[in-house]
Coordinates of all heavy atoms in Angstrom, one line a residue:
M1 N 0.8 -1.2 0.0 CA 0.0 0.0 0.0 C 0.9 1.2 0.0 O 1.8 1.4 0.8 CB -0.9 0.0 1.3 CG -1.8 1.1 1.3 SD -3.0 0.9 2.7 CE -2.7 2.3 3.6
N2 N 0.6 2.2 -0.8 CA 1.3 3.4 -0.9 C 0.8 4.5 0.0 O -0.3 5.1 -0.2 CB 1.3 4.0 -2.4 CG 2.1 5.2 -2.5 OD1 2.6 5.8 -1.6 ND2 2.2 5.7 -3.8
T3 N 1.4 4.7 1.1 CA 0.9 5.6 2.1 C 1.3 7.1 1.9 O 0.8 8.0 2.4 CB 1.4 5.3 3.6 OG1 2.8 5.2 3.6 CG2 0.8 3.9 4.0
S4 N 2.3 7.3 1.0 CA 2.8 8.6 0.7 C 1.7 9.5 0.1 O 1.6 10.7 0.4 CB 4.1 8.6 -0.1 OG 3.8 8.1 -1.4
A5 N 0.9 8.9 -0.8 CA -0.1 9.7 -1.5 C -1.2 10.2 -0.5 O -1.7 11.3 -0.5 CB -0.8 8.9 -2.6
T6 N -1.5 9.3 0.5 CA -2.4 9.7 1.5 C -1.9 10.8 2.4 O -2.6 11.7 2.8 CB -2.8 8.4 2.4 OG1 -3.2 7.4 1.5 CG2 -3.9 8.7 3.4
A7 N -0.6 10.7 2.7 CA 0.0 11.7 3.6 C 0.0 13.1 3.0 O -0.1 14.1 3.7 CB 1.4 11.3 4.0
V8 N 0.2 13.2 1.7 CA 0.3 14.4 1.0 C -1.0 15.2 0.9 O -1.1 16.4 1.1 CB 0.9 14.2 -0.4 CG1 0.8 15.5 -1.2 CG2 2.3 13.7 -0.4
G9 N -2.1 14.5 0.7 CA -3.4 15.1 0.7 C -3.8 15.5 -0.8 O -3.0 15.5 -1.7
W10 N -5.0 15.9 -0.9 CA -5.6 16.3 -2.2 C -5.5 17.8 -2.4 O -5.7 18.6 -1.4 CB -7.0 15.9 -2.3 CG -7.6 16.0 -3.7 CD1 -8.3 17.0 -4.2 CD2 -7.5 15.0 -4.7 NE1 -8.7 16.7 -5.5 CE2 -8.2 15.5 -5.8 CE3 -6.9 13.7 -4.8 CZ2 -8.3 14.8 -7.0 CZ3 -7.1 13.0 -6.0 CH2 -7.7 13.6 -7.1
P11 N -5.1 18.3 -3.5 CA -5.0 19.8 -3.7 C -6.4 20.5 -3.7 O -7.4 19.9 -4.0 CB -4.3 20.0 -5.1 CG -4.7 18.7 -5.8 CD -4.8 17.6 -4.8
G12 N -6.3 21.7 -3.2 CA -7.6 22.5 -3.1 C -7.4 23.9 -3.5 O -6.3 24.5 -3.5
A13 N -8.5 24.6 -3.7 CA -8.6 26.0 -4.0 C -9.1 26.7 -2.7 O -10.2 26.3 -2.2 CB -9.5 26.3 -5.2
F14 N -8.4 27.7 -2.2 CA -8.7 28.3 -1.0 C -8.9 29.8 -1.2 O -8.1 30.5 -1.9 CB -7.6 28.2 0.1 CG -7.5 26.8 0.6 CD1 -6.9 25.7 -0.2 CD2 -8.0 26.4 1.8 CE1 -6.8 24.5 0.3 CE2 -8.0 25.1 2.3 CZ -7.4 24.2 1.5
A15 N -10.0 30.4 -0.7 CA -10.3 31.8 -0.8 C -9.3 32.6 0.0 O -8.8 32.2 1.0 CB -11.7 32.1 -0.3
Y16 N -9.0 33.8 -0.5 CA -8.1 34.7 0.2 C -8.7 35.2 1.5 O -10.0 35.4 1.5 CB -7.7 35.9 -0.7 CG -6.8 35.6 -1.8 CD1 -7.3 35.4 -3.1 CD2 -5.4 35.5 -1.6 CE1 -6.4 35.1 -4.2 CE2 -4.5 35.2 -2.6 CZ -5.0 35.0 -3.9 OH -4.2 34.7 -4.9
T17 N -7.9 35.5 2.5 CA -8.4 36.1 3.7 C -9.2 37.4 3.4 O -8.8 38.2 2.6 CB -7.2 36.5 4.6 OG1 -6.5 35.3 4.8 CG2 -7.7 37.0 5.9
N18 N -10.3 37.5 4.1 CA -11.2 38.7 3.9 C -11.9 38.8 2.6 O -12.4 39.8 2.2 CB -10.5 40.0 4.2 CG -10.0 40.0 5.6 OD1 -10.6 39.6 6.6 ND2 -8.8 40.6 5.8
H19 N -11.9 37.7 1.8 CA -12.6 37.6 0.5 C -13.3 36.3 0.4 O -13.0 35.4 1.1 CB -11.6 37.8 -0.7 CG -11.0 39.1 -0.7 ND1 -11.6 40.2 -1.2 CD2 -9.7 39.5 -0.4 CE1 -10.8 41.3 -1.1 NE2 -9.6 40.9 -0.6
T20 N -14.3 36.2 -0.5 CA -14.9 35.0 -0.8 C -14.8 34.7 -2.2 O -14.5 35.5 -3.0 CB -16.5 35.0 -0.4 OG1 -17.0 36.1 -1.2 CG2 -16.7 35.3 1.0
A21 N -14.9 33.4 -2.6 CA -14.8 33.0 -3.9 C -16.1 32.2 -4.2 O -16.6 31.5 -3.4 CB -13.6 32.0 -4.2
T22 N -16.7 32.5 -5.4 CA -17.9 31.9 -5.8 C -17.7 30.7 -6.7 O -17.0 30.7 -7.6 CB -18.8 32.9 -6.6 OG1 -19.0 34.1 -5.7 CG2 -20.1 32.4 -7.0
V23 N -18.4 29.6 -6.4 CA -18.4 28.4 -7.2 C -19.6 28.5 -8.1 O -20.7 28.7 -7.7 CB -18.4 27.1 -6.3 CG1 -18.4 25.9 -7.2 CG2 -17.3 27.1 -5.3
R24 N -19.3 28.3 -9.4 CA -20.4 28.5 -10.4 C -20.6 27.2 -11.2 O -19.7 26.3 -11.2 CB -20.0 29.6 -11.4 CG -19.9 30.9 -10.6 CD -20.3 32.1 -11.5 NE -20.3 33.3 -10.8 CZ -21.4 34.0 -10.4 NH1 -22.5 33.4 -10.6 NH2 -21.3 35.1 -9.7
A25 N -21.7 27.1 -11.9 CA -22.1 25.9 -12.6 C -21.2 25.7 -13.9 O -21.0 24.6 -14.4 CB -23.5 25.9 -13.0
D26 N -20.7 26.8 -14.4 CA -19.9 26.8 -15.6 C -18.8 27.9 -15.5 O -18.8 28.6 -14.5 CB -20.7 27.0 -16.9 CG -20.1 26.5 -18.1 OD1 -19.0 25.9 -18.1 OD2 -20.7 26.7 -19.2
K27 N -17.9 27.9 -16.5 CA -16.8 28.8 -16.4 C -17.1 30.3 -16.9 O -16.5 30.8 -17.8 CB -15.7 28.2 -17.3 CG -15.2 26.9 -16.9 CD -14.2 26.2 -17.8 CE -14.7 25.9 -19.1 NZ -15.5 24.7 -19.2
T28 N -18.1 30.9 -16.3 CA -18.5 32.2 -16.6 C -19.3 32.8 -15.4 O -20.0 32.1 -14.7 CB -19.4 32.3 -17.9 OG1 -19.9 33.6 -18.1 CG2 -20.6 31.3 -17.8
T29 N -19.2 34.1 -15.2 CA -19.8 34.8 -14.1 C -21.3 34.8 -14.3 O -22.1 35.1 -13.3 CB -19.3 36.2 -13.9 OG1 -19.4 37.0 -15.1 CG2 -17.8 36.2 -13.5
S30 N -21.8 34.6 -15.5 CA -23.3 34.6 -15.7 C -23.9 33.3 -15.4 O -25.2 33.2 -15.4 CB -23.6 35.1 -17.1 OG -23.1 34.1 -18.1
S31 N -23.1 32.2 -15.1 CA -23.7 30.9 -14.8 C -24.2 30.9 -13.4 O -23.8 31.7 -12.6 CB -22.7 29.8 -15.1 OG -21.7 29.9 -14.2
A32 N -25.0 29.9 -13.1 CA -25.6 29.8 -11.7 C -24.6 29.7 -10.6 O -23.6 29.0 -10.8 CB -26.5 28.6 -11.7
K33 N -24.8 30.4 -9.5 CA -24.0 30.3 -8.3 C -24.4 29.0 -7.5 O -25.5 28.8 -7.2 CB -24.2 31.5 -7.5 CG -23.4 31.6 -6.2 CD -23.7 32.8 -5.4 CE -23.1 32.8 -4.1 NZ -23.4 34.1 -3.3
L34 N -23.4 28.1 -7.3 CA -23.6 26.9 -6.6 C -23.2 26.9 -5.2 O -23.8 26.1 -4.3 CB -22.9 25.7 -7.3 CG -23.2 25.5 -8.8 CD1 -22.2 24.5 -9.4 CD2 -24.6 25.2 -9.0
D35 N -22.2 27.7 -4.8 CA -21.6 27.6 -3.5 C -20.7 28.9 -3.3 O -20.4 29.5 -4.3 CB -20.7 26.4 -3.4 CG -20.3 26.0 -2.0 OD1 -20.8 26.6 -1.0 OD2 -19.4 25.1 -1.8
T36 N -20.4 29.2 -2.1 CA -19.4 30.2 -1.8 C -18.3 29.7 -0.9 O -18.6 28.9 0.0 CB -20.1 31.4 -1.1 OG1 -21.2 31.9 -1.9 CG2 -19.2 32.5 -0.8
I37 N -17.1 30.0 -1.2 CA -16.0 29.6 -0.4 C -15.6 30.8 0.5 O -15.1 31.8 0.0 CB -14.8 29.2 -1.2 CG1 -15.2 28.1 -2.3 CG2 -13.6 28.7 -0.3 CD1 -14.1 27.8 -3.3
P38 N -15.8 30.8 1.8 CA -15.5 31.9 2.6 C -14.0 32.0 2.8 O -13.2 31.1 2.5 CB -16.1 31.5 4.0 CG -17.0 30.4 3.7 CD -16.5 29.7 2.5
G39 N -13.5 33.2 3.2 CA -12.1 33.5 3.3 C -11.4 32.4 4.2 O -11.9 32.0 5.2
D40 N -10.2 32.0 3.7 CA -9.4 31.0 4.4 C -10.0 29.6 4.4 O -9.5 28.7 5.1 CB -9.0 31.4 5.8 CG -8.0 32.5 5.8 OD1 -7.3 32.7 4.8 OD2 -7.9 33.2 6.9
E41 N -11.1 29.3 3.7 CA -11.6 28.0 3.6 C -11.3 27.5 2.1 O -11.0 28.3 1.3 CB -13.1 27.9 3.8 CG -13.5 28.1 5.3 CD -14.9 27.8 5.5 OE1 -15.6 27.0 4.8 OE2 -15.4 28.2 6.6
G42 N -11.5 26.2 1.9 CA -11.2 25.7 0.6 C -12.1 24.6 0.1 O -13.0 24.1 0.9
R43 N -12.0 24.3 -1.1 CA -12.7 23.2 -1.7 C -11.7 22.3 -2.5 O -10.8 22.9 -3.1 CB -13.8 23.6 -2.7 CG -14.9 24.5 -2.1 CD -15.8 23.8 -1.1 NE -16.8 24.6 -0.6 CZ -16.7 25.3 0.5 NH1 -15.6 25.3 1.2 NH2 -17.7 26.1 1.0
K44 N -11.8 21.0 -2.5 CA -10.9 20.2 -3.2 C -11.1 20.4 -4.7 O -12.2 20.7 -5.2 CB -11.2 18.7 -2.9 CG -10.8 18.3 -1.5 CD -11.0 16.8 -1.3 CE -10.6 16.4 0.1 NZ -10.8 15.0 0.3
C45 N -9.9 20.4 -5.4 CA -9.9 20.5 -6.9 C -10.6 19.3 -7.5 O -10.5 18.2 -6.9 CB -8.5 20.7 -7.4 SG -7.8 22.3 -7.0
G46 N -11.2 19.5 -8.6 CA -11.9 18.4 -9.3 C -11.0 17.4 -9.9 O -11.3 16.2 -10.1
V47 N -9.7 17.8 -10.1 CA -8.7 16.9 -10.6 C -7.4 17.1 -9.7 O -7.3 18.1 -9.1 CB -8.3 17.1 -12.1 CG1 -9.5 16.7 -13.0 CG2 -7.9 18.5 -12.4
S48 N -6.6 16.1 -9.7 CA -5.4 16.1 -8.8 C -4.4 17.2 -9.0 O -3.6 17.5 -8.1 CB -4.7 14.8 -8.8 OG -4.2 14.5 -10.0
D49 N -4.4 17.9 -10.1 CA -3.4 18.9 -10.4 C -4.0 20.3 -10.5 O -3.4 21.3 -10.8 CB -2.6 18.6 -11.6 CG -3.5 18.6 -12.9 OD1 -4.7 18.7 -12.8 OD2 -2.9 18.4 -14.0
C50 N -5.3 20.5 -10.2 CA -6.0 21.8 -10.2 C -5.7 22.5 -11.5 O -5.5 23.7 -11.6 CB -5.5 22.7 -9.0 SG -5.9 22.1 -7.4
R51 N -5.8 21.8 -12.6 CA -5.6 22.3 -13.9 C -6.6 23.5 -14.3 O -7.8 23.4 -13.9 CB -5.8 21.2 -15.0 CG -5.5 21.6 -16.4 CD -5.6 20.4 -17.3 NE -4.7 19.3 -16.8 CZ -5.2 18.1 -16.7 NH1 -6.4 17.7 -17.0 NH2 -4.3 17.1 -16.3
T52 N -6.1 24.5 -14.9 CA -7.0 25.7 -15.3 C -7.6 25.5 -16.7 O -6.9 24.8 -17.5 CB -6.2 27.0 -15.2 OG1 -5.1 27.0 -16.1 CG2 -5.7 27.3 -13.8
H53 N -8.7 26.1 -16.9 CA -9.4 26.0 -18.2 C -9.9 27.4 -18.5 O -10.3 28.2 -17.7 CB -10.6 25.1 -18.1 CG -10.3 23.7 -17.7 ND1 -10.1 22.7 -18.6 CD2 -10.2 23.1 -16.5 CE1 -9.8 21.6 -18.0 NE2 -9.8 21.8 -16.7
R54 N -9.8 27.8 -19.8 CA -10.2 29.1 -20.2 C -11.8 29.2 -20.2 O -12.4 28.2 -20.4 CB -9.8 29.4 -21.6 CG -8.2 29.7 -21.7 CD -7.8 29.9 -23.1 NE -7.3 31.1 -23.6 CZ -6.8 32.2 -22.9 NH1 -6.8 32.2 -21.7 NH2 -6.4 33.2 -23.6
G55 N -12.2 30.4 -19.8 CA -13.7 30.6 -19.7 C -13.9 32.1 -19.8 O -13.1 32.9 -20.4
G56 N -15.0 32.5 -19.3 CA -15.4 33.9 -19.3 C -14.5 34.8 -18.4 O -13.9 34.3 -17.5
S57 N -14.4 36.1 -18.7 CA -13.6 37.0 -17.9 C -14.3 37.3 -16.6 O -15.5 37.2 -16.5 CB -13.3 38.2 -18.7 OG -14.4 38.9 -19.0
Y58 N -13.5 37.7 -15.6 CA -14.0 38.0 -14.3 C -13.0 39.0 -13.6 O -11.9 39.2 -14.0 CB -14.1 36.8 -13.4 CG -12.8 36.0 -13.3 CD1 -11.8 36.4 -12.4 CD2 -12.5 34.9 -14.1 CE1 -10.6 35.7 -12.3 CE2 -11.4 34.2 -14.0 CZ -10.4 34.6 -13.1 OH -9.2 33.9 -13.0
T59 N -13.5 39.7 -12.6 CA -12.8 40.4 -11.6 C -13.1 39.9 -10.3 O -14.2 39.7 -9.9 CB -13.1 41.9 -11.7 OG1 -12.9 42.4 -13.0 CG2 -12.3 42.7 -10.7
C60 N -12.1 39.5 -9.5 CA -12.3 38.8 -8.2 C -13.0 39.7 -7.2 O -13.9 39.2 -6.6 CB -10.9 38.4 -7.6 SG -10.1 37.2 -8.7
W61 N -12.6 41.0 -7.1 CA -13.3 41.9 -6.2 C -12.9 43.3 -6.7 O -12.0 43.4 -7.5 CB -12.9 41.7 -4.7 CG -11.4 41.7 -4.5 CD1 -10.6 42.7 -4.3 CD2 -10.6 40.5 -4.4 NE1 -9.3 42.3 -4.1 CE2 -9.3 40.9 -4.1 CE3 -10.8 39.1 -4.4 CZ2 -8.2 40.1 -4.0 CZ3 -9.8 38.3 -4.3 CH2 -8.5 38.7 -4.1
S62 N -13.5 44.3 -6.2 CA -13.2 45.7 -6.7 C -11.7 46.0 -6.6 O -11.2 45.9 -5.5 CB -14.1 46.7 -5.9 OG -13.8 48.0 -6.4
G63 N -11.1 46.2 -7.7 CA -9.6 46.5 -7.6 C -8.8 45.3 -7.5 O -7.6 45.3 -7.5
G64 N -9.4 44.1 -7.5 CA -8.7 42.8 -7.4 C -8.2 42.2 -8.7 O -8.4 42.9 -9.8
P65 N -7.7 41.0 -8.7 CA -7.2 40.4 -9.9 C -8.3 40.2 -10.9 O -9.5 40.0 -10.5 CB -6.6 39.0 -9.3 CG -6.5 39.2 -7.9 CD -7.4 40.2 -7.4
R66 N -7.9 40.1 -12.2 CA -8.8 39.9 -13.3 C -8.2 38.7 -14.1 O -7.0 38.5 -14.1 CB -8.9 41.1 -14.2 CG -9.4 42.3 -13.4 CD -9.2 43.6 -14.3 NE -9.8 43.4 -15.6 CZ -10.9 44.1 -15.9 NH1 -11.4 45.0 -15.1 NH2 -11.5 44.0 -17.1
G67 N -9.1 38.0 -14.7 CA -8.6 36.9 -15.6 C -9.7 36.2 -16.3 O -10.9 36.7 -16.3
N68 N -9.4 35.1 -16.9 CA -10.4 34.3 -17.7 C -10.1 32.8 -17.6 O -10.5 32.0 -18.4 CB -10.5 34.7 -19.1 CG -9.3 34.4 -19.9 OD1 -8.2 34.1 -19.4 ND2 -9.3 34.5 -21.2
T69 N -9.3 32.4 -16.5 CA -9.1 31.0 -16.3 C -9.8 30.5 -15.0 O -10.0 31.2 -14.1 CB -7.6 30.7 -16.1 OG1 -7.0 31.5 -15.1 CG2 -6.8 30.9 -17.4
W70 N -10.3 29.3 -15.1 CA -11.2 28.7 -14.1 C -10.7 27.3 -13.7 O -10.0 26.7 -14.5 CB -12.6 28.6 -14.6 CG -13.2 29.9 -15.0 CD1 -13.0 30.7 -16.1 CD2 -14.2 30.6 -14.2 NE1 -13.7 31.8 -16.0 CE2 -14.5 31.8 -14.9 CE3 -14.9 30.3 -13.0 CZ2 -15.4 32.7 -14.5 CZ3 -15.8 31.3 -12.6 CH2 -16.1 32.4 -13.3
V71 N -11.0 26.9 -12.5 CA -10.6 25.6 -11.9 C -11.8 24.8 -11.5 O -12.7 25.4 -10.8 CB -9.6 25.8 -10.7 CG1 -9.3 24.5 -10.1 CG2 -8.3 26.5 -11.2
A72 N -11.8 23.6 -11.8 CA -12.9 22.7 -11.4 C -12.7 22.4 -9.9 O -11.6 22.0 -9.5 CB -13.0 21.4 -12.2
V73 N -13.7 22.5 -9.1 CA -13.7 22.2 -7.6 C -14.9 21.3 -7.3 O -15.9 21.4 -7.9 CB -13.6 23.5 -6.7 CG1 -12.3 24.2 -7.0 CG2 -14.8 24.3 -6.9
L74 N -14.7 20.6 -6.2 CA -15.8 19.8 -5.6 C -16.5 20.6 -4.5 O -15.9 21.2 -3.7 CB -15.3 18.5 -5.1 CG -14.5 17.6 -6.1 CD1 -14.0 16.4 -5.4 CD2 -15.5 17.2 -7.3
H75 N -17.8 20.6 -4.6 CA -18.6 21.3 -3.5 C -19.7 20.4 -3.1 O -20.1 19.5 -3.8 CB -19.1 22.7 -4.0 CG -20.2 22.5 -5.1 ND1 -21.5 22.6 -4.8 CD2 -20.0 22.3 -6.4 CE1 -22.2 22.5 -5.9 NE2 -21.3 22.3 -6.9
H76 N -20.2 20.6 -1.9 CA -21.3 19.8 -1.4 C -21.0 18.3 -1.6 O -21.8 17.5 -2.2 CB -22.7 20.1 -2.0 CG -23.1 21.5 -1.8 ND1 -23.4 22.0 -0.5 CD2 -23.2 22.6 -2.6 CE1 -23.7 23.3 -0.6 NE2 -23.6 23.7 -1.8
G77 N -19.8 17.9 -1.2 CA -19.4 16.5 -1.3 C -18.7 16.2 -2.6 O -17.5 16.4 -2.6
S78 N -19.4 15.8 -3.6 CA -18.7 15.4 -4.8 C -19.3 16.1 -6.1 O -19.0 15.6 -7.2 CB -18.9 13.9 -5.0 OG -20.2 13.5 -5.1
R79 N -20.0 17.2 -5.9 CA -20.6 17.9 -7.1 C -19.5 18.8 -7.7 O -18.8 19.5 -6.9 CB -21.8 18.7 -6.7 CG -22.9 17.8 -6.2 CD -24.1 18.5 -5.9 NE -24.8 18.7 -7.1 CZ -25.9 19.4 -7.3 NH1 -26.4 20.0 -6.2 NH2 -26.5 19.5 -8.4
L80 N -19.4 18.8 -9.0 CA -18.4 19.6 -9.7 C -18.9 21.0 -10.0 O -20.0 21.2 -10.4 CB -18.0 18.9 -11.0 CG -16.8 19.5 -11.7 CD1 -15.5 19.2 -10.9 CD2 -16.6 18.8 -13.0
G81 N -18.1 22.0 -9.7 CA -18.4 23.4 -10.0 C -17.1 24.1 -10.5 O -16.0 23.5 -10.5
W82 N -17.1 25.4 -10.8 CA -16.0 26.1 -11.3 C -15.8 27.4 -10.4 O -16.7 28.1 -10.1 CB -16.2 26.5 -12.7 CG -16.3 25.3 -13.6 CD1 -17.5 24.6 -13.9 CD2 -15.3 24.7 -14.2 NE1 -17.2 23.6 -14.7 CE2 -15.8 23.6 -14.9 CE3 -13.9 24.9 -14.3 CZ2 -15.0 22.7 -15.7 CZ3 -13.1 24.0 -15.0 CH2 -13.7 22.9 -15.7
V83 N -14.5 27.7 -10.1 CA -14.1 28.9 -9.4 C -13.1 29.6 -10.2 O -12.2 29.0 -10.9 CB -13.6 28.5 -8.0 CG1 -12.3 27.8 -8.0 CG2 -13.5 29.8 -7.1
A84 N -13.1 30.9 -10.2 CA -12.2 31.8 -10.9 C -10.8 31.6 -10.3 O -10.5 31.7 -9.1 CB -12.6 33.2 -10.8
A85 N -9.8 31.2 -11.2 CA -8.5 30.7 -10.7 C -7.7 31.8 -10.0 O -7.0 31.6 -9.0 CB -7.7 30.2 -11.9
K86 N -7.8 33.1 -10.4 CA -7.1 34.2 -9.8 C -7.7 34.7 -8.5 O -7.1 35.5 -7.8 CB -6.8 35.3 -10.7 CG -5.9 34.9 -11.9 CD -5.5 36.1 -12.7 CE -4.5 35.7 -13.8 NZ -4.1 36.9 -14.5
C87 N -8.9 34.2 -8.2 CA -9.6 34.6 -6.9 C -9.3 33.6 -5.8 O -9.8 33.8 -4.7 CB -11.1 34.6 -7.2 SG -11.6 35.7 -8.5
V88 N -8.4 32.6 -6.0 CA -8.1 31.6 -5.0 C -6.6 31.4 -5.0 O -5.9 31.7 -5.9 CB -8.9 30.3 -5.2 CG1 -10.3 30.5 -5.0 CG2 -8.6 29.7 -6.6
T89 N -6.1 30.8 -3.9 CA -4.8 30.2 -3.8 C -4.9 28.7 -3.8 O -6.0 28.2 -3.6 CB -4.0 30.7 -2.5 OG1 -4.7 30.2 -1.4 CG2 -3.9 32.2 -2.5
F90 N -3.8 28.0 -4.1 CA -3.9 26.6 -4.1 C -2.9 26.0 -3.1 O -1.8 26.4 -2.9 CB -3.5 26.1 -5.5 CG -4.4 26.6 -6.6 CD1 -4.1 27.7 -7.3 CD2 -5.6 26.0 -6.8 CE1 -5.0 28.2 -8.3 CE2 -6.5 26.5 -7.7 CZ -6.2 27.6 -8.5
Q91 N -3.4 25.0 -2.3 CA -2.6 24.3 -1.4 C -3.3 22.9 -1.2 O -4.4 22.7 -1.7 CB -2.5 25.0 -0.1 CG -3.8 25.3 0.6 CD -3.6 26.3 1.8 OE1 -2.7 27.1 1.9 NE2 -4.5 26.1 2.8
R92 N -2.6 22.1 -0.4 CA -3.2 20.7 -0.2 C -4.0 20.6 1.1 O -3.6 21.3 2.1 CB -2.0 19.7 -0.2 CG -1.4 19.6 -1.6 CD -0.6 18.3 -1.7 NE 0.0 18.3 -3.0 CZ -0.6 17.7 -4.1 NH1 -1.8 17.2 -4.0 NH2 0.0 17.6 -5.3
F93 N -5.0 19.8 1.0 CA -5.8 19.5 2.2 C -4.9 18.5 3.0 O -4.4 17.6 2.4 CB -7.1 18.9 1.9 CG -8.2 19.9 1.5 CD1 -8.4 20.2 0.2 CD2 -8.9 20.5 2.5 CE1 -9.3 21.2 -0.2 CE2 -9.9 21.4 2.1 CZ -10.1 21.8 0.8
E94 N -4.8 18.6 4.3 CA -4.1 17.7 5.1 C -4.9 16.5 5.4 O -6.1 16.5 5.6 CB -3.6 18.4 6.4 CG -2.7 19.5 6.1 CD -1.4 19.1 5.5 OE1 -0.8 18.0 5.8 OE2 -0.9 19.9 4.7

């Protein structure tokens, strides 16, 4: 049994302190809002490498980062949604 993979944990997208990140049904700000990631909380990435995908443009918060890349995340257990990549940081769940 390979225990090193278990010890490392699964990668996740975490909201910046004092900000929230919105999980959406698709890679655009006009798609349905599925969940919110409060500051300093995270959601597991939908794939093990948190790969980004091009989508609609966004601004994270007034005066904040802008972009058009999105990351698949799991919310409410195992449901897939999308979060704006520049609105989150990436780290591993322990």
Side-chain angles (χ1 to χ4, degrees):
M1 181 170 124
N2 181 355
T3 58
S4 62
T6 305
V8 172
W10 192 265
F14 290 77
Y16 287 101
T17 303
N18 300 322
H19 294 284
T20 60
T22 303
V23 179
R24 299 207 175 260
D26 202 0
K27 300 175 291 284
T28 177
T29 57
S30 62
S31 69
K33 180 179 171 180
L34 303 175
D35 192 12
T36 300
I37 306 172
D40 287 339
E41 286 190 24
R43 301 292 182 270
K44 289 183 177 179
C45 289
V47 294
S48 64
D49 63 357
C50 296
R51 184 175 306 132
T52 60
H53 301 268
R54 287 177 112 23
S57 62
Y58 57 81
T59 300
C60 296
W61 53 83
S62 180
R66 301 167 58 108
N68 68 347
T69 53
W70 297 76
V71 174
V73 295
L74 301 176
H75 68 99
H76 299 294
S78 62
R79 300 184 80 184
L80 192 66
W82 296 91
V83 67
K86 290 189 178 183
C87 300
V88 294
T89 62
F90 300 97
Q91 60 189 28
R92 295 197 178 271
F93 281 92
E94 297 296 326

